[in-house]
Amino acid sequence: NWRQNIVFRLGAGIVLAVALSTGVYTTYTLHTLRLDADARLQERIERQAKVLEQALARPLFDINSGAVNSVVEALGATPEVQTLRVLAPDGSLIAALGNRDDAQADLRLRRRITHNHGTRTYSVGVIELAFSREQIDQDLRNQIVHTAAANILLTLAIVGCVFLVGRRMSQPFADIQDALEKLARGETDIRLSGIGRRDQVGRLSSA
C-alpha cells in the first residue's frame, strides 16, 4: 500500500515540491522575459525616432522633399517599422512608408521635429512612427520554449533520481519486513540485501 510506504510518500513530496517550485520559477521567468521584451522594443523605437529627428530636421527646414523621401525610403530596410508618416507643421503629408491601418503595428509614437537656426528654434514637422512587435514576440516565444524545455528536463531528472534513490532505500526495508514475517512463521532461511552496508540499514540488517 503506497500510503504505508514512507519512502514513496517522501519521494512524492519531493517531486511535488520540485514541480511547484519549477512552475513558480517558470511563471516568473516568462513574466520577466515579457517585461524585458517590451522595454527593448520601447528603447528601439525611441532610438529610431531620435535618429529620424536628426536626419529629417534640416531637409524639412529647407523644404527638401527629395531628401525627406530618401530618409523615409532608407528606413524601409528596417523590418520592425510598419509605418512612418512625415507631416508638415500644418498637418499635410510630406512622405509616408507602409500602411497606416496595419493592424500588426503594436507600438506607435508621434514626435515633433524642431530645427535650430541661429538663435531661434523652428517647428519643421512631425513624424508618426509605428513598430511591429512580431519579431520580438517570435524571439520571446523561442525563449519560452527553451526555458520550459529546460525546466521539464530538470524536473524529469530530479524525479528519476528520487525514484532510483527511493528504490534503493526501500528494498532493504522490504527485505527486513519479509524476514520478520518469516521469523514469525518459524522460518530461519533468511537473506537480507542490506547486510554489508555501513549505514543504519546495514546495522539493522545485521542485527
Side-chain angles (χ1 to χ4, degrees), residues 134-156:
E134 182 178 357
Q135 182 60 47
I136 206 165
D137 281 344
Q138 180 62 43
D139 296 338
L140 180 61
R141 283 192 292 269
N142 292 337
Q143 289 179 304
I144 289 173
V145 170
H146 294 157
T147 301
N151 288 335
I152 290 173
L153 290 176
L154 176 62
T155 302
L156 291 176

Side-chain angles (χ1 to χ4, degrees), residues 1-143:
N1 190 342
W2 66 269
R3 295 182 179 179
Q4 298 176 350
N5 191 321
I6 297 178
V7 175
F8 179 85
R9 286 187 292 171
L10 177 61
I14 294 175
V15 171
L16 181 60
V18 170
L20 289 176
S21 60
T22 301
V24 171
Y25 173 76
T26 301
T27 302
Y28 171 77
T29 301
L30 298 185
H31 179 68
T32 302
L33 289 175
R34 167 65 69 175
L35 292 179
D36 182 63
D38 291 341
R40 284 189 286 115
L41 183 60
Q42 183 67 43
E43 180 183 358
R44 189 176 303 176
I45 193 172
E46 292 287 349
R47 185 168 59 247
Q48 188 69 65
K50 188 173 184 61
V51 171
L52 284 171
E53 286 180 47
Q54 296 172 351
L56 291 172
R58 184 68 193 190
L60 287 172
F61 179 77
D62 294 336
I63 316 178
N64 187 343
S65 59
V68 172
N69 281 306
S70 296
V71 173
V72 172
E73 291 173 1
L75 191 65
T78 306
E80 294 91 348
V81 176
Q82 290 295 309
T83 62
L84 169 63
R85 288 163 49 87
V86 182
L87 307 176
D90 61 0
S92 60
L93 181 65
I94 299 176
L97 171 71
N99 180 10
R100 184 181 182 185
D101 297 326
D102 196 328
Q104 291 185 350
D106 297 287
L107 187 59
R108 299 179 184 272
L109 180 144
R110 181 182 174 91
R111 185 70 56 84
R112 186 169 65 92
I113 302 176
T114 59
H115 178 71
N116 296 323
H117 184 72
T119 59
R120 298 187 61 182
T121 299
Y122 297 88
S123 177
V124 295
V126 174
I127 57 172
E128 294 178 347
L129 188 61
F131 261 51
S132 170
R133 59 177 304 126
E134 182 178 357
Q135 182 60 47
I136 206 165
D137 281 344
Q138 180 62 43
D139 296 338
L140 180 61
R141 283 192 292 269
N142 292 337
Q143 289 179 304

Side-chain angles (χ1 to χ4, degrees), residues 160-179:
C161 291
V162 169
F163 175 77
L164 292 176
V165 172
R167 187 171 182 180
R168 180 177 175 81
M169 290 177 59
S170 62
Q171 186 59 47
F173 288 107
D175 290 345
I176 293 173
Q177 181 179 357
D178 291 339

